[in-house]
């Protein structure tokens, strides 16, 4: 399944593939779906393998290449890696295997956060794997050289599992968040970067916990919309924006179809057909 596909027709009516380890990428898909209503969108939730954040880089690369190969078999024109963890670990490998494909990834919004913070202290919530990656280290170094900002990275181990289960406001979720947010608030972070695409779905819980801890709600940076603008720009530059398509959305999952169907309904109020995707 990981063999590079040598030639793929690049036409405007080809689909756009979007994937994440699970339902997190739906926080990116919602922007893509709203901004590009004429496009044919395919979403893969690799929930059978979630979370990626605690896996080895090799395992994340293998999963990402397997999903990219599926999209290549569907002859997509563009691929959105709607997962910070997979972007950090695997975007280079994806681009190397499919150089003719438009590939857009997502990274923690360190730059917009540096531009907004008043205290100069920014909390970065992400998976352990993203925070340990070379890409994150390079971005952080570059931003710290350019702006008067201090980043406080905080791995939110366990949070993706709760979000995958649909626990957006549960006691377990609020308690876990409290443990991760307290040190950031106490050190004066006035801005929080959501460096994992699952986290926008617990934004309300994050705001609630911060208000409880400090009486204030921090500025929150989510890069889903910026990724969509970048996708739009690249498609436009390549002459591949679909101008007259009817627009459609289909879901694929390596876990339970009904779980993804429910997530689409609950998180986005969308009801696309959802298909099983064989893992591997
Ligand atoms: N949603 C993902 C991200 O943006 C991955 C979370 C995970 O599977 O650990 O990092």
């Amino acid at each position: 399944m990981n063999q590079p596909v040598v030639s793929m027709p690049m036409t405007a009516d080809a689909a756009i593939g979007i994937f994440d380890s699970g339902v997190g990428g739906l926080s990116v898909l919602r922007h893509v779906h709203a901004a590009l209503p004429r496009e044919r969108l395919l979403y893969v939730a690799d929930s059978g393998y979630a979370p990626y954040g605690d896996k080895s880089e090799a395992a994340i690369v293998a999963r990402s290449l397997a999903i990219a190969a599926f999209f290549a078999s569907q002859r997509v024109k563009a691929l959105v890696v709607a997962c910070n963890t997979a972007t950090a670990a695997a975007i280079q490998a994806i681009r190397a295997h499919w150089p003719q494909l438009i590939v857009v990834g997502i990274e923690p919004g360190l730059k917009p956060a540096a531009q907004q913070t008043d205290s100069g202290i920014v909390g970065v919530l992400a998976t352990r794997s993203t925070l340990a990656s070379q890409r994150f280290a390079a971005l952080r170094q570059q931003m710290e050289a350019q702006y008067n900002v201090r980043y406080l990275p905080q791995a939110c181990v366990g949070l993706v599992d709760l979000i995958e289960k649909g626990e957006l406001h549960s006691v377990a979720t609020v308690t876990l968040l409290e443990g991760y947010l307290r040190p950031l608030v106490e050190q004066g972070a006035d801005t929080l970067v959501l460096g994992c695409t699952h986290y926008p779905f617990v934004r309300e819980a994050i705001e609630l916990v911060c208000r409880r801890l400090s009486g204030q709600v921090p500025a929150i940076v989510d890069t889903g919309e910026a990724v969509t603008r970048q996708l739009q720009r690249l498609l436009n530059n390549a002459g591949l924006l679909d101008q007259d398509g009817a627009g459609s959305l289909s879901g694929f999952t390596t876990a339970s179809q009904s779980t993804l169907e429910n997530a689409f309904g609950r998180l986005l109020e969308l009801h696309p057909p959802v298909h099983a995707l064989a893992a591997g």
Side-chain angles (χ1 to χ4, degrees):
M1 198 172 173
N2 289 351
Q3 291 308 306
V5 174
V6 178
S7 80
M8 286 185 291
M10 287 297 150
T11 52
D13 60 355
I16 299 171
I18 303 175
F19 85 92
D20 176 51
S21 62
V23 301
L26 297 182
S27 73
V28 177
L29 175 72
R30 68 178 160 197
H31 295 292
V32 177
H33 189 254
L36 301 171
R38 295 197 171 277
E39 298 288 345
R40 202 149 57 80
L41 305 178
L42 310 178
Y43 182 83
V44 169
D46 198 17
S47 295
Y49 292 83
Y52 282 0
D54 302 324
K55 293 198 165 47
S56 70
E57 190 176 292
I60 300 166
V61 170
R63 288 309 307 152
S64 300
L65 290 181
I67 294 165
F70 165 70
F71 283 135
S73 76
Q74 301 296 305
R75 303 187 168 185
V76 299
K77 60 185 175 187
L79 195 165
V80 180
V81 184
C83 173
N84 292 260
T85 309
T87 298
I91 199 162
Q92 272 180 321
I94 295 172
R95 288 194 170 123
H97 274 69
W98 290 281
Q100 68 278 50
L101 209 58
I102 291 174
V103 181
V104 180
I106 187 163
E107 286 183 309
L110 300 194
K111 185 171 183 171
Q115 291 167 335
Q116 318 194 354
T117 175
D118 288 324
S119 68
I121 301 171
V122 170
V124 185
L125 309 176
T127 66
R128 195 152 46 188
S129 174
T130 297
L131 296 176
S133 69
Q134 280 175 6
R135 276 182 91 91
F136 178 76
L139 182 63
R140 179 181 182 178
Q141 207 175 15
Q142 197 190 335
M143 291 303 118
E144 283 175 341
Q146 211 175 321
Y147 296 94
N148 187 19
V149 63
R150 186 155 70 91
Y151 295 105
L152 305 176
Q154 177 61 65
C156 299
V157 177
L159 190 53
V160 164
D161 282 325
L162 290 168
I163 296 168
E164 283 289 311
K165 283 194 226 154
E167 292 197 29
L168 307 186
H169 304 278
S170 71
V171 174
T173 298
V174 169
T175 307
L176 193 74
L177 281 171
E178 228 168 72
Y180 292 141
L181 294 170
R182 184 184 297 277
L184 305 180
V185 167
E186 283 176 358
Q187 289 175 83
D190 68 346
T191 304
L192 292 179
V193 174
L194 304 186
C196 168
T197 54
H198 280 74
Y199 302 168
F201 293 122
V202 288
R203 183 179 178 139
E204 278 177 22
I206 290 171
E207 291 176 346
L208 176 102
V209 168
C210 289
R211 197 177 297 118
R212 260 195 219 160
L213 290 170
S214 69
Q216 279 168 355
V217 177
I220 294 193
V221 176
D222 164 15
T223 39
E225 213 171 336
V227 164
T228 303
R229 283 196 299 272
Q230 171 72 349
L231 172 68
Q232 202 162 7
R233 203 161 28 235
L234 293 176
L235 285 170
N236 191 35
N237 292 348
L240 288 175
L241 267 182
D242 199 342
Q243 310 286 358
D244 40 35
S248 67
L249 172 61
S250 310
F252 299 83
T253 177
T254 51
S256 137
Q257 285 165 255
S258 60
T259 303
L260 183 58
E261 276 162 9
N262 291 339
F264 267 115
R266 199 164 25 84
L267 301 173
L268 302 189
E269 293 180 14
L270 291 173
H271 303 279
V274 171
H275 313 275
L277 182 65

